[in-house]
Amino acid sequence: MSAVLASLIPTFLIMATGWLARATNFVDERQWSGLERVTYIILFPALIIDTLSRADLSSVPVLGVGGALVSAILLMAVLMLALRPVLERRLGVDGPSFTSIFQGATRWNTFIGLAVAGSLFGQRGVALIAVAIAAMVPLLNLLAFYVFIRYAGRPRQSPFEILRSFVTNPFIWSCAVGLALNLLAPPLPKPLSAFIDMTGRAALAAGLLVVGAGLDIRRLTRPGSAHFLAAALKLVLLPVMAVSLARLAGVSGDDLVVTIVAASVPSASAAYVLARQMGGNAPLMAEILTLQTLLAMVSMPFLIAYL
């Protein structure tokens, strides 16, 4: 537990720094928007490309870790869709609000996952999280598109529009480029490799600052059933499912811990942006993100230490 806390505390301190900088208006809204855009489109893709292109994929359980996480997400998605009528009847959850609960229960914050896994296990941990990103991100985006179109009253998109959204998603194209460089291409020229490495190093700190800046404690004055349901599903049930499936696939030791990290992080801040763009309940999404991030400070070390 002490080792886990020692790895988590710096991560949450950076997030707290981002929250404090925004709460005191040391950094204003427009500057945060610019930093978020730079991190999302430039810094984070550079980190993924650098990590995947360098990773020794033959030495990590790609199928075990990736398969367990993908299977756990699919199971959670099926459970959420099955619960949809119950949530509407018992809790009065409408379509846009359901999309926020769905995203809160399935999506994951890659910035926190990378920071914690890298702090715990160095380059191997980062490589395994990169494998998780390559496995989970396309599936999560596909599920999110379906749920928004089905339940948020979003106009049906053409196959070309859906394909364009996938291709232009920085998480997806950076995974594709990194894997292609790893499997097909010779080593990059040193100047280009150094450029990607230096750019990627800035991603984690910038990403965690952005996550912290997005926290709004004032939104949680009266959290309701929807907030706690999304938190319980994402921070407890999903990690338990992922660990159970990973163990069945023979994953153990440090690799199992990284699986827990990937499954137990709070939902992604990008979920709020998607909710705003596609007709979801964006205020509820922001509240769920804030509650999950605060609760994860307690739930993550417990789950990592004891699962």
Side-chain angles (χ1 to χ4, degrees), residues 250-291:
V251 179
S252 61
D254 295 349
D255 300 334
L256 185 64
V257 176
V258 175
T259 305
I260 300 169
V261 170
S264 64
V265 294
S267 190
S269 53
Y272 174 71
V273 178
L274 200 60
R276 285 193 304 176
Q277 292 177 345
M278 299 195 68
N281 187 335
L284 175 60
M285 189 72 254
E287 293 161 8
I288 289 173
L289 289 171
T290 300
L291 179 64

Side-chain angles (χ1 to χ4, degrees), residues 12 227-228 231-232 235 290-301:
F12 287 112
H227 302 79
F228 288 109
L235 301 180
T290 300
L291 179 64
Q292 285 189 357
T293 304
L294 295 174
L295 291 178
M297 299 180 192
V298 177
S299 64
M300 282 187 69

Side-chain angles (χ1 to χ4, degrees), residues 13-27:
L13 283 177
I14 298 175
M15 292 168 57
T17 302
W19 174 82
L20 185 63
R22 183 164 189 170
T24 58
N25 288 322
F26 180 73
V27 180

